[in-house]
Amino acid sequence: MASLRFVKSVWESFRATSGLEPRLLNNLRVTGARPGFVNFELDIQKEHTNRLNILHGGTIASMVDLGGSLAVASRGLFATGVSTDLNVTYLSSGGKIGDKILAEVTCDKFGKTLAYTSIKFLNSKGDIVARGSHTKFIALAWKDPQNIVEELKRDS
């Protein structure tokens, strides 16, 4: 439970201080978290779509970025580092306005300098529509006084 509460607090910090996330992903909901794993969902709205009225690839790329950050947060880092690499593979349409997209994120490796994350996106039927990976430089993030890494180690 501490992981979920912490990840939600990091998400709220993104929403309060970032320029992009509150505009594009404001209705994103974190639905689960434990050390190294995060789940979230997004109800697709007009601002998430392209001119074909389906989920825009840029929205998915932004969710890969945010999802990687939240996966790092699930390990206890409040400052989630900076991106060094981001990859997205689009497998099929992610949906249209009114649909829901679900995400499952994993922090695959969590070191002192780098964190590696992976994510898969599913439609409401459970079909994988996209997958991604995200590498974060986290060396400076270890210094944030709001970190709870040790607390989460005890809970896992």
Side-chain angles (χ1 to χ4, degrees):
M1 191 60 174
S3 285
L4 180 58
R5 196 168 36 254
F6 186 71
V7 169
K8 284 183 174 183
S9 76
V10 171
W11 171 226
E12 288 306 316
S13 175
F14 271 88
R15 290 174 71 189
T17 59
S18 175
L20 177 69
E21 285 87 1
R23 286 176 178 77
L24 181 63
L25 302 173
N26 196 47
N27 71 334
L28 183 141
R29 294 174 304 283
V30 176
T31 57
R34 64 185 198 280
F37 301 92
V38 173
N39 297 89
F40 64 82
E41 60 188 27
L42 178 79
D43 296 321
I44 300 171
Q45 300 174 339
K46 177 66 177 165
E47 63 266 23
H48 304 128
T49 61
N50 60 23
R51 64 188 179 141
L52 301 174
N53 288 315
I54 59 174
L55 186 61
H56 195 291
T59 301
I60 293 174
S62 293
M63 288 191 294
V64 170
D65 186 86
L66 176 63
S69 296
L70 296 178
V72 168
S74 78
R75 298 297 298 268
L77 292 185
F78 188 83
T80 57
V82 296
S83 301
T84 64
D85 182 69
L86 188 135
N87 177 279
V88 186
T89 301
Y90 304 98
L91 303 171
S92 64
S93 167
K96 59 186 182 328
I97 296 170
D99 290 345
K100 185 181 298 188
I101 189 161
L102 309 158
E104 299 174 357
V105 197
T106 305
C107 186
D108 303 314
K109 173 104 171 101
F110 184 66
K112 293 290 181 193
T113 305
L114 295 172
Y116 300 87
T117 69
S118 57
I119 187 167
K120 67 180 177 178
F121 295 97
L122 303 105
N123 62 20
S124 54
K125 296 177 189 171
D127 302 322
I128 299 175
V129 297
R131 61 179 184 250
S133 62
H134 188 200
T135 307
K136 305 267 319 197
F137 176 73
I138 58 171
L140 302 177
W142 284 95
K143 299 175 183 180
D144 194 300
Q146 296 178 79
N147 291 344
I148 61 166
V149 175
E150 292 305 314
E151 179 184 330
L152 292 184
K153 276 185 188 175
R154 290 189 299 271
D155 288 349
S156 57

